[in-house]
Amino acid sequence: MLGLELERIYKDFGSTRAVEPTDLEFREGELTALLGPSGCGKTTLLRMIAGLEAPSGGAIRLGGQEITARPAHKRRFGMVFQSFALFPHLNVQENIVYSLVIAGIPKAEALQKGARLLDLVQLGAFATRRIGELSGGQRQRVAIARALAQEPAVFLLDEPMSALDAKLREDMQVELRLLQQRLGITTIVVTHDQREAMTMADQIVVMSQGRVEQVGAPKAIYDRPQNAFVADFIGKANFFDAVIEGSRLRVGAALIAAGELRFVSGAEVCVALRPESPYLDTAEVEGTQLSATVTFVRDVGPVRDIHLDTEIGPMVVECSRGETGRDFVVGQRTQVTLPAAALHVFPREQRRAA
Ligand code: ATP
């Protein structure tokens, strides 16, 4: 297993810059998710890493060795695509063994290896089934086993779960993550689904418009978004505009304590606040208290979203069941407390650009 490094790698398609110059490190044995909305350049970046797309500039290194110009088939990277790209006329075992035989492995050895791989992805009992007779999740496992058959140095997956329904997708995320950890293989997964990235990744690379917006562990990205785009794209957030006044935020007539700020007084900012951060109806938490009226209650099982009309505008507060002893009803007056540390403050122009 080897780590991978990108240095100032970028890609232009004619006059379109698909990926801005990017430096990234994919540490040995870790799973990295390339996460961002449609068109942000994540697939192009993955394809450059795979050798399927020539970069317009920059360097790719594997275990310290430059591989930028090495053709895809000589990189020994395993790939799983959105479509799985299996051979429909071959059965499960043949799909895996065929790729091994093509790679020059003698048939008997390929059969043995194929059987081991099918056990690894829990498809041993399905060896002679045709691809058309498998569920989406089973097909995905065949695609994974086939990619692993090459003993890849790096494992690349492009939206591997997108063909699966929601429940199966969640199961497969856990399964794939456990398999990746067991094999200790350096893995890069392209996804636009932040829950998928948070579930599986050691490191998330958040991208937008061809740029890397933030790189970090899932929790760090969620707790400390570096800009308004990341705060909006990862998890949910309430946003409001404010003007800095010393260590406080002015929103209309209200002044909100904001902790440490890296802005001068008078600066126009936008503020992001996770819905689980404010407290409702308590005097025991430190923070700025605002009066509010309940406008809507969305009860979704384990959590309730309380929609509020507050002094500073509309806000959604997420309460876990049993967290507050009482029910909230539309029209009710309440107090919402905003802890200073929960306020993520960004330059206002970032919000306009996002
Ligand atoms: P999606 O999630 O929709 O697949 P993505 O984040 O993977 O999106 P890319 O497919 O990498 O995005 O595309 C990035 C940008 O480059 C887009 O503006 C896209 O239109 C453009 N692009 C991608 N491939 C080509 C190509 N072969 N020729 C011209 N432009 C391209």
Side-chain angles (χ1 to χ4, degrees):
M1 298 321 139
L2 297 166
L4 194 70
E5 273 169 36
L6 309 184
E7 188 188 327
R8 309 298 291 162
I9 204 92
Y10 72 98
K11 180 70 187 179
D12 291 332
F13 291 108
S15 59
T16 306
R17 171 68 50 101
V19 177
E20 298 285 347
T22 298
D23 292 317
L24 276 178
E25 190 187 348
F26 304 92
R27 283 181 294 273
E28 189 175 338
E30 283 197 359
L31 190 148
T32 299
L34 302 180
L35 174 67
S38 181
C40 72
K42 50 198 189 300
T43 296
T44 303
L45 191 58
L46 190 83
R47 286 174 58 80
M48 289 194 283
I49 294 168
L52 299 171
E53 199 76 71
S56 304
I60 305 173
R61 278 187 287 275
L62 178 66
Q65 205 183 1
E66 174 144 9
I67 59 159
T68 320
R70 192 183 288 177
H73 66 278
K74 293 205 172 139
R75 292 190 187 193
R76 252 189 59 233
F77 288 1
M79 285 211 66
V80 174
F81 298 96
Q82 223 170 86
S83 61
F84 308 151
L86 297 167
F87 300 114
H89 57 286
L90 300 181
N91 69 27
V92 168
Q93 183 189 42
E94 287 162 350
N95 257 279
I96 294 162
V97 171
Y98 180 65
S99 68
L100 288 169
V101 170
I102 285 192
I105 293 176
K107 182 87 186 273
E109 195 184 326
L111 280 167
Q112 265 185 8
K113 194 166 178 186
R116 272 204 311 277
L117 282 161
L118 284 182
D119 285 343
L120 188 71
V121 296
Q122 296 160 30
L123 278 183
F126 293 80
T128 56
R129 279 267 188 107
R130 288 194 170 277
I131 297 301
E133 295 163 356
L134 299 179
S135 71
Q138 289 162 342
R139 279 179 214 198
Q140 195 216 36
R141 283 188 221 158
V142 178
I144 289 171
R146 193 180 59 176
L148 291 175
Q150 311 294 333
E151 294 176 19
V154 178
F155 195 23
L156 307 174
L157 302 104
D158 189 358
E159 301 270 7
M161 317 287 177
S162 59
L164 311 179
D165 66 50
K167 171 77 179 76
L168 183 57
R169 197 154 61 212
E170 298 218 334
D171 292 346
M172 287 304 292
Q173 287 162 4
V174 174
E175 211 172 283
L176 182 59
R177 172 58 163 165
L178 292 174
L179 180 65
Q180 181 270 332
Q181 284 178 320
R182 201 148 27 115
L183 299 173
I185 184 166
T186 311
T187 301
I188 305 172
V189 180
V190 161
T191 180
H192 61 269
D193 177 347
Q194 51 121 348
R195 260 179 79 88
E196 185 163 299
M198 304 274 291
T199 304
M200 295 170 64
D202 297 291
Q203 165 175 272
I204 296 180
V205 176
V206 184
M207 295 181 68
S208 105
Q209 298 178 351
R211 275 192 320 271
V212 171
E213 298 284 355
Q214 189 167 351
V215 181
K219 188 166 169 13
I221 287 191
Y222 186 83
D223 290 344
R224 294 185 298 282
Q226 261 164 29
N227 58 41
F229 174 82
V230 177
D232 197 17
F233 191 71
I234 306 282
K236 295 181 205 154
N238 295 288
F239 278 96
F240 56 88
D241 286 346
V243 177
I244 302 288
E245 249 183 65
S247 64
R248 294 189 293 181
L249 303 162
R250 173 162 297 280
V251 187
L255 267 176
I256 300 165
E260 219 172 287
L261 288 168
R262 37 187 182 95
F263 296 93
V264 293
S265 282
E268 296 194 329
V269 294
C270 72
V271 183
L273 175 70
R274 299 275 183 224
E276 68 275 19
S277 300
Y279 292 83
L280 283 178
D281 232 8
T282 174
E284 282 157 36
V285 181
E286 237 177 81
T288 305
Q289 282 212 334
L290 302 173
S291 53
T293 307
V294 177
T295 55
F296 187 73
V297 177
R298 196 163 75 105
D299 201 331
V300 282
V303 290
R304 280 179 304 170
D305 290 341
I306 316 293
H307 293 238
L308 301 170
D309 189 13
T310 79
E311 289 168 65
I312 63 166
M315 186 179 296
V316 178
V317 178
E318 188 182 287
C319 301
S320 56
R321 210 169 253 302
E323 189 184 297
T324 53
R326 39 180 281 215
D327 278 337
F328 289 92
V329 289
V330 172
Q332 179 184 329
R333 303 279 301 157
T334 181
Q335 293 278 327
V336 58
T337 307
L338 314 185
L343 299 163
H344 304 287
V345 185
F346 307 109
R348 188 157 328 151
E349 63 267 19
Q350 273 187 8
R351 181 75 183 139
R352 282 195 206 102

